[in-house]
Amino acid sequence: METEEPHKAIIWFVVAILLIMLALQIAANVHFSVVPIKPPVPPNYYKNMTITGGTLLNCMLQLPVTPTNLTNDSNLKIFLSDGTGTPLEEAILQLLSYNASMIAPGPYWTTADLAGALEPSNITYKLYNAVEYNGANLTFYHLKLSFFNASPFNVSYPPSDNITVNSPVCQIINKTSVKTHVTTSYNVQTYLFYNRTYIICNNVYEYYYYNMNVSGTAYLYANNKLVNTTNFKYMFYWVGGNVTENITGIVCIQHYPEEVYALLSLSTTQACYNYTYTQGNYTYHVYIYCPKGPYVSYQNFTFNWYEYNVSIPMTIRVFNGTNPVTVIGNQTYHTRIINADFSFLIWSFETKNFSTPTIMTYDTIKIANYMINRTWNAGHIEIITKQYRQQTGNTINYYLNIKVNDNIAKQPQWVFHHIPQNQVYEHNFALEFLQGPAYLYGLYKYLTNYFANEKYANFTAITLFMSLVNDLHQINESETLQPVQILANYSGPSWEVRNLALYFASFSIPWLNYSIPNATMEIIGPLELPLISKIIVNGSQGLVVSSFMYGFANITDIENGTHTFYKWLNWCDGAIEFEQYEYANYSVEFFGA
């Protein structure tokens, strides 16, 4: 047991140092950017925490984003991350499945470039010492972080079709005819309509006017088959006259009812008879007027309908895509230039409309373990048929007018005029994502979940990350580095190292940039803390997490007041633009010693 006493002494010494450090930072006038002096701790007093590449990557890909300006071909900032939206992985897969009418080439290739982050090319691990304080205990960790390398996912733009629809080609290949004729049976009745008499001296003039009724039945035949009977009755005056009746009937031609007809004409002429006779002292002059006839005539017709072979030629040119397949009905094409036609047979008595099958072009791409289907719905062609009649003598022909309406999807101009693909792929958006603020977001997601059962979960996660940051070497340079570059190199410019803690905290805790003479402090809060803080934010405790100056940050320079607190961070690098957002107006109070 004696051999364990030195180790216990070292541990208690470290505990004392850290407690003093925390007390100074929270209760007095120093902050976590001051690197503490840590005596060596025996390895067997450390816990091991390894954040595997797959786990961390999964956390990073949950970053909420919103797609922006997808139809602006020159836009390479395709996602906005401001705390709301869809998880990045889901958003990437959705955009990669978009068709060419929904996303321009520039944003599409930017998305694909970024999608390389879904399958990093290799993962390396580095070891860090970190201390977690949960309000009651200090826990030492050997923390193993994973780092990634990645290349852009180089892929074609989604397929689309340019379709040229030519004029229909119509050929008459068949004819069917119906010939009509009419017969009649009728009765004639003549009767006195009225008469008049004049007496001049011994002469008597008598005039008699007769009308005629003709009644009967007309029989209409089509191709020598009786198709209709029609009763008729006409009256003709003494002066004569004529009448024509259209005798119609219905015939079925291949189950389609069609009307046919023939003409029945009846006519009479005027007849006049006179004679004279003497009776007593008077001489009678008699005049009789009556219709003569009837005279019956017929006009028969030949009706013709025609069968058409109609063909609608079209040329389909498939643009872009990876091994695209075009499907029209039950026909499948694997070429980029397709000469096809839509053909059908139709009789001129049918007068119905036709639609081609929908023209679809598909292709499939694979990224990580995902198969992504890309589809271009080119639409269809509608053929409108309309019957028209043409008569020559006693022959009546029924023909078809054929009109083509193309309901074809039009390709956007950016399919033909767009940013060069290699100009987009000059960037490695996948690597920039894996090295940027999203890495800190992934750590935040992992650590807050890891410490979810702690009473002060956010504070516990922050203390562990801040202790890791405190071990990084700060150098007096102005070079701008990605967060991962600083962590992987164990060093970076002082102001960037100090801001890592704020970037980490900004994903979950409201923060404020507060300027004091010669410095800018970052305050986070409100927080539930295990120790008493001298900064009160909205009635709860707050912390100073960094400062743009060396040494101590004198928080006694903070004035009480109300300030706008933010969440998230501003970072404009790569394909994702991070944008802070106003969270709330909080009161800030400092209580001096």
Side-chain angles (χ1 to χ4, degrees):
M1 293 297 292
E2 289 79 13
T3 57
E4 294 183 4
E5 292 302 322
H7 293 164
K8 289 182 179 180
I10 292 172
I11 292 173
W12 284 112
F13 178 74
V14 172
V15 170
I17 292 293
L18 287 172
L19 287 173
I20 292 170
M21 183 188 74
L22 283 171
L24 287 173
Q25 291 175 56
I26 298 172
N29 64 347
V30 296
H31 61 86
F32 281 176
S33 65
V34 180
V35 180
I37 300 173
K38 295 182 180 179
V41 178
N44 57 316
Y45 287 97
Y46 282 89
K47 291 180 66 175
N48 292 319
M49 180 192 296
T50 298
I51 306 178
T52 64
T55 300
L56 181 57
L57 181 62
N58 181 63
C59 291
M60 293 172 65
L61 292 175
Q62 294 177 43
L63 178 75
V65 294
T66 303
T68 60
N69 295 325
L70 298 182
T71 57
N72 180 356
D73 186 54
S74 61
N75 174 42
L76 304 186
K77 287 272 187 268
I78 53 161
F79 289 117
L80 173 68
S81 181
D82 62 358
T84 61
T86 304
L88 178 65
E89 182 174 33
E90 180 182 334
I92 288 175
L93 296 175
Q94 184 179 41
L95 264 58
L96 289 179
S97 70
Y98 276 4
N99 68 46
S101 67
M102 302 170 70
I103 184 169
Y108 189 87
W109 286 323
T110 301
T111 305
D113 187 323
L114 177 61
L118 273 59
E119 46 181 1
S121 54
N122 67 295
I123 300 173
T124 58
Y125 291 88
K126 293 200 172 184
L127 187 63
Y128 300 82
N129 292 327
V131 182
E132 167 243 321
Y133 178 59
N134 64 3
N137 300 298
L138 290 169
T139 304
F140 299 88
Y141 285 94
H142 282 313
L143 176 60
K144 190 180 288 186
L145 296 181
S146 49
F147 296 96
F148 309 93
N149 195 4
S151 300
F153 175 49
N154 200 320
V155 71
S156 64
Y157 186 61
S160 62
D161 299 334
N162 182 278
I163 300 177
T164 302
V165 181
N166 298 308
S167 299
V169 177
C170 304
Q171 181 183 7
I172 293 176
I173 60 172
N174 206 349
K175 181 178 77 170
T176 186
S177 300
V178 172
K179 294 182 179 181
T180 62
H181 73 276
V182 177
T183 63
T184 58
S185 63
Y186 58 88
N187 296 311
V188 177
Q189 179 188 10
T190 302
Y191 61 95
L192 179 64
F193 182 57
Y194 77 96
N195 68 293
R196 58 180 178 156
T197 302
Y198 301 97
I199 300 174
I200 303 175
C201 295
N202 291 330
N203 292 296
V204 178
Y205 296 90
E206 295 181 338
Y207 295 87
Y208 297 91
Y209 300 90
Y210 289 86
N211 287 351
M212 179 186 288
N213 283 337
V214 179
S215 60
T217 303
Y219 303 91
L220 177 66
Y221 291 86
N223 289 346
N224 297 319
K225 291 183 178 180
L226 181 64
V227 294
N228 194 20
T229 58
T230 301
N231 295 322
F232 61 88
K233 183 178 182 179
Y234 301 107
M235 183 194 74
F236 296 95
Y237 289 98
W238 67 92
V239 294
N242 63 78
V243 64
T244 298
E245 181 167 346
N246 191 3
I247 310 300
T248 63
I250 301 296
V251 295
C252 285
I253 305 175
Q254 298 184 18
H255 308 295
Y256 284 86
E258 289 289 321
E259 184 181 73
V260 295
Y261 56 87
L263 299 180
L264 166 64
S265 296
L266 299 172
S267 64
T268 60
T269 58
Q270 186 185 68
C272 181
Y273 306 98
N274 63 82
Y275 60 92
T276 302
Y277 68 93
T278 300
Q279 187 176 356
N281 294 325
Y282 292 92
T283 299
Y284 290 86
H285 305 274
V286 179
Y287 296 90
I288 299 173
Y289 297 92
C290 64
K292 182 182 180 182
Y295 304 101
V296 181
S297 65
Y298 310 100
Q299 187 175 2
N300 302 321
F301 294 92
T302 299
F303 297 85
N304 296 319
W305 292 269
Y306 298 91
E307 185 181 22
Y308 289 78
N309 183 355
V310 181
S311 176
I312 313 295
M314 68 185 82
T315 301
I316 304 170
R317 291 177 173 84
V318 182
F319 286 73
N320 306 306
T322 303
N323 299 320
V325 176
T326 300
V327 177
I328 309 174
N330 59 1
Q331 297 293 317
T332 301
Y333 303 88
H334 296 271
T335 59
R336 291 189 176 271
I337 298 180
I338 301 165
N339 293 310
D341 61 4
F342 176 66
S343 300
F344 59 91
L345 300 176
I346 183 173
W347 282 91
S348 58
F349 50 72
E350 294 181 273
T351 61
K352 60 184 179 181
N353 299 333
F354 294 84
S355 288
T356 66
T358 300
I359 302 167
M360 305 287 291
T361 294
Y362 308 88
D363 79 346
T364 302
I365 57 176
K366 183 178 184 299
I367 175 69
N369 294 320
Y370 299 102
M371 299 298 293
I372 300 171
N373 296 317
R374 307 187 295 181
T375 302
W376 177 262
N377 185 336
H380 66 279
I381 300 168
E382 186 178 12
I383 299 95
I384 312 266
T385 65
K386 185 177 182 180
Q387 185 190 79
Y388 71 95
R389 179 178 178 271
Q390 189 178 81
Q391 182 172 352
T392 304
N394 287 358
T395 301
I396 298 170
N397 296 301
Y398 290 99
Y399 297 110
L400 284 180
N401 269 326
I402 297 176
K403 178 184 176 184
V404 174
N405 288 341
D406 87 65
N407 300 302
I408 298 298
K410 306 302 179 185
Q411 295 167 289
Q413 280 302 305
W414 60 56
V415 171
F416 313 103
H417 309 287
H418 53 75
I419 187 173
Q421 185 174 4
N422 60 359
Q423 186 174 325
V424 177
Y425 281 104
E426 288 175 355
H427 304 270
N428 189 341
F429 292 125
L431 186 60
E432 290 179 25
F433 165 76
L434 294 171
Q435 293 185 341
Y439 188 90
L440 301 180
Y441 175 83
L443 285 179
Y444 144 73
K445 290 284 288 184
Y446 179 85
L447 291 176
T448 52
N449 182 66
Y450 186 88
F451 296 119
N453 294 327
E454 297 287 352
K455 180 178 179 181
Y456 308 104
N458 276 341
F459 175 75
T460 303
I462 289 171
T463 60
L464 183 133
F465 184 75
M466 292 173 74
S467 72
L468 183 154
V469 170
N470 281 338
D471 269 347
L472 301 179
H473 180 57
Q474 301 182 30
I475 56 178
N476 188 17
E477 290 184 3
S478 58
E479 181 184 7
T480 300
L481 297 176
Q482 294 271 41
V484 164
Q485 293 174 301
I486 296 172
L487 292 172
N489 294 332
Y490 297 100
S491 67
S494 296
W495 66 277
E496 286 195 346
V497 171
R498 292 170 179 172
N499 269 323
L500 287 180
L502 175 66
Y503 296 157
F504 178 90
S506 69
F507 291 115
S508 61
I509 304 171
W511 58 269
L512 166 68
N513 270 342
Y514 189 89
S515 295
I516 60 175
N518 302 319
T520 299
M521 290 182 177
E522 278 82 20
I523 301 169
I524 63 172
L527 273 169
E528 192 176 3
L529 298 178
L531 298 174
I532 297 174
S533 169
K534 289 294 183 180
I535 298 176
I536 302 300
V537 177
N538 202 40
S540 296
Q541 299 180 74
L543 285 178
V544 173
V545 295
S546 67
S547 171
F548 286 124
M549 70 177 187
Y550 296 101
F552 298 98
N554 191 351
I555 61 176
T556 59
D557 290 333
I558 297 176
E559 296 180 0
N560 297 344
T562 300
H563 302 274
T564 300
F565 275 68
Y566 297 85
K567 274 192 174 182
W568 236 246
L569 71 156
N570 286 334
W571 190 281
C572 188
D573 190 20
I576 304 173
E577 181 171 356
F578 289 80
E579 186 175 281
Q580 67 188 38
Y581 63 95
E582 293 186 6
Y583 185 75
N585 291 324
Y586 286 153
S587 61
V588 177
E589 298 178 78
F590 170 72
F591 295 89

